[in-house]
Amino acid sequence: MLNYKDKRGNLIILSGPSAVGKGTVLRALLKDYDDICYSVSATTRQPRQGELDGKDYFFMSLNKFKKLIKEDEFIEWAEVHNNYYGTPRSYVEETLATGKDVILEIDIQGAKQVKESFDEGIFVFLAPPSLEELKSRINKRGTETQEAINTRMKNATKEIEEINKYDYLIINDKVASAVDKLKSIIIAERCKL
Amino acid sequence: MLNYKDKRGNLIILSGPSAVGKGTVLRALLKDYDDICYSVSATTRQPRQGELDGKDYFFMSLNKFKKLIKEDEFIEWAEVHNNYYGTPRSYVEETLATGKDVILEIDIQGAKQVKESFDEGIFVFLAPPSLEELKSRINKRGTETQEAINTRMKNATKEIEEINKYDYLIINDKVASAVDKLKSIIIAERCKL
């Protein structure tokens, strides 16, 4: 009798510089492909209109968040503009144990933390076709001052040097093609021996 | 300026026990996906009706084949029922050098030879859902004596132990799903860093 082992799920980390389109690619993937769980982050910031607790974020008090940090309950966390954001370890662990894959969309600093605290992840770097294109995407958002744009570009240039620590590189030239590649990586990793 | 390196193509080796459906899966892949080159084998056997030289096989004399063996011009070769079959090294090398992927459909013994003579391949094992299912597929072909079937089953049981030397495992339960997985592996491997 053949005996193919039931596999533990994979943790996929989708990262890349700010404004490269991580959120857009992830949303398109989840629309098209439901065989993966999105890792919902915890945050101390207030819910925005339409945001649902447990779907968009796990909303929690600063006290609770700090308690969970102490208990090593986040595989990564960060403070951004006085709000805390983090990835709950228990949700990730429990989902992987059932054999389901989990996907995490996260900035480069967060991905670095995951690499340290959770060695088994599959790290996917989403990169812009060029730095010029990235700048134009940041400009299009129209929400930033020139100084903030310059800082973002400086960070991006530095962050792209992190590529060689990743397992896969996807150039986000077209969303549909990037989604197709991401989906292929998820399916291929499941066939890995 | 970002500088994404042009990559050499990948050599994909699709292997698995006899009657598992390698040919069917490969034909369905090539119909659906033209971004890969099929590695045409050389053979000393006579062309069958409809077979084209350079498309189905490179047909050649025994003398020429033996000369090419001596010159290490095959990454694998075998003698089957008094005919010789082999994979020309020059075709594979030249195609990979242009950045194109090459796929090779081959039995387990041939894959072993490729592993020894061509270390960079990506090895995909196509496996039956169960040995019972494999037996039923061999029976359906209706071209074999009971003794031949028994030999095939014995070989298959032994060959499946080779799985752990492969990079990927695809269970061929449905052709469409197997093709989808194979395609995903090819696309994902191109994104590898």
Side-chain angles (χ1 to χ4, degrees), chain A residues 18-135:
Chain A
S18 157
V20 75
K22 299 187 289 291
T24 309
V25 168
L26 181 66
R27 276 190 300 276
L29 174 83
L30 294 174
K31 219 172 153 182
D32 179 45
Y33 184 72
D34 54 13
D35 217 4
I36 194 158
C37 297
Y38 168 60
S39 167
V40 178
S41 295
T43 185
T44 61
R45 82 151 163 72
Q46 291 300 307
R48 291 181 194 144
Q49 201 166 13
E51 282 183 344
L52 293 174
D53 186 49
K55 185 176 173 275
D56 298 292
Y57 286 98
F58 296 112
F59 295 101
M60 58 179 67
S61 68
L62 183 57
N63 271 349
K64 170 121 193 240
F65 201 102
K66 286 193 170 168
K67 186 170 165 279
L68 293 179
I69 292 177
K70 264 192 205 147
E71 293 167 353
D72 196 27
E73 247 305 321
F74 292 117
I75 60 174
E76 60 80 34
W77 65 271
E79 197 192 337
V80 185
H81 305 312
N82 293 320
N83 290 310
Y84 285 74
Y85 297 84
T87 302
R89 184 182 300 274
S90 54
Y91 172 82
V92 171
E93 278 288 3
E94 284 159 19
T95 312
L96 296 180
T98 67
K100 274 221 153 200
D101 293 342
V102 176
I103 192 159
L104 181 58
E105 178 222 326
I106 201 171
D107 67 18
I108 308 264
Q109 294 308 313
K112 251 186 175 173
Q113 281 188 56
V114 175
K115 190 134 204 160
E116 280 156 26
S117 77
F118 209 88
D119 198 38
E120 69 180 84
I122 293 149
F123 291 78
V124 180
F125 196 102
L126 192 68
S130 66
L131 285 177
E132 292 68 28
E133 175 60 27
L134 187 69
K135 197 169 183 175

Side-chain angles (χ1 to χ4, degrees), chain A residues 4 127-128 167-169 171 191 193, chain B residues 4 127-128 167 169 171 191 193:
Chain A
Y4 304 119
D167 301 304
Y168 294 97
L169 167 66
I171 318 260
C191 296
L193 277 160
Chain B
Y4 304 119
D167 301 305
L169 167 66
I171 317 256
C191 297
L193 278 160

Side-chain angles (χ1 to χ4, degrees), chain B residues 86-136:
Chain B
T87 303
R89 184 183 299 275
S90 53
Y91 172 83
V92 171
E93 278 289 3
E94 285 160 19
T95 313
L96 296 179
T98 68
K100 274 221 153 199
D101 293 342
V102 176
I103 192 160
L104 181 58
E105 179 222 326
I106 202 172
D107 67 16
I108 308 264
Q109 294 307 314
K112 252 186 173 171
Q113 281 188 56
V114 176
K115 190 135 205 161
E116 280 156 28
S117 77
F118 209 88
D119 199 39
E120 70 181 82
I122 292 149
F123 290 79
V124 180
F125 195 103
L126 192 68
S130 67
L131 285 178
E132 292 70 26
E133 175 60 28
L134 186 69
K135 196 167 182 176
S136 124

Side-chain angles (χ1 to χ4, degrees), chain B residues 45-57 59:
Chain B
R45 82 151 162 74
Q46 291 301 309
R48 291 181 195 145
Q49 199 166 16
E51 281 183 346
L52 293 174
D53 186 49
K55 183 174 175 274
D56 299 291
Y57 286 97
F59 295 101

Side-chain angles (χ1 to χ4, degrees), chain B:
Chain B
M1 205 30 217
L2 293 179
N3 222 333
Y4 304 119
K5 262 174 251 149
D6 282 333
K7 264 177 140 182
R8 181 177 157 90
N10 291 317
L11 175 64
I12 318 283
I13 296 100
L14 178 65
S15 189
S18 155
V20 75
K22 298 186 290 291
T24 309
V25 167
L26 180 66
R27 278 190 299 276
L29 174 84
L30 295 174
K31 218 172 154 182
D32 179 44
Y33 184 73
D34 53 14
D35 216 5
I36 194 159
C37 297
Y38 168 59
S39 166
V40 178
S41 295
T43 183
T44 60
R45 82 151 162 74
Q46 291 301 309
R48 291 181 195 145
Q49 199 166 16
E51 281 183 346
L52 293 174
D53 186 49
K55 183 174 175 274
D56 299 291
Y57 286 97
F58 296 113
F59 295 101
M60 58 180 67
S61 69
L62 184 58
N63 269 348
K64 170 123 193 239
F65 200 103
K66 286 193 169 167
K67 185 171 166 278
L68 293 179
I69 292 177
K70 265 193 203 149
E71 292 167 354
D72 196 28
E73 246 305 321
F74 293 116
I75 60 173
E76 60 79 35
W77 64 271
E79 196 192 339
V80 184
H81 304 311
N82 292 320
N83 290 309
Y84 285 74
Y85 297 84
T87 303
R89 184 183 299 275
S90 53
Y91 172 83
V92 171
E93 278 289 3
E94 285 160 19
T95 313
L96 296 179
T98 68
K100 274 221 153 199
D101 293 342
V102 176
I103 192 160
L104 181 58
E105 179 222 326
I106 202 172
D107 67 16
I108 308 264
Q109 294 307 314
K112 252 186 173 171
Q113 281 188 56
V114 176
K115 190 135 205 161
E116 280 156 28
S117 77
F118 209 88
D119 199 39
E120 70 181 82
I122 292 149
F123 290 79
V124 180
F125 195 103
L126 192 68
S130 67
L131 285 178
E132 292 70 26
E133 175 60 28
L134 186 69
K135 196 167 182 176
S136 124
R137 287 181 197 182
I138 295 175
N139 279 325
K140 263 185 209 150
R141 292 191 170 183
T143 54
E144 313 263 340
T145 64
Q146 193 53 50
E147 203 193 327
I149 293 174
N150 290 346
T151 307
R152 273 183 191 262
M153 287 306 296
K154 223 168 156 181
N155 287 342
T157 313
K158 230 172 122 187
E159 284 173 347
I160 283 167
E161 287 167 17
E162 297 279 315
I163 285 184
N164 57 2
K165 294 178 192 156
Y166 282 66
D167 301 305
Y168 295 97
L169 167 66
I170 297 175
I171 317 256
N172 190 17
D173 42 6
K174 281 176 192 157
V175 174
S177 147
V179 171
D180 202 43
K181 284 172 184 161
L182 182 57
K183 204 166 105 181
S184 293
I185 290 167
I186 296 163
I187 294 171
E189 282 287 337
R190 259 194 226 148
C191 297
K192 244 194 192 154
L193 278 160

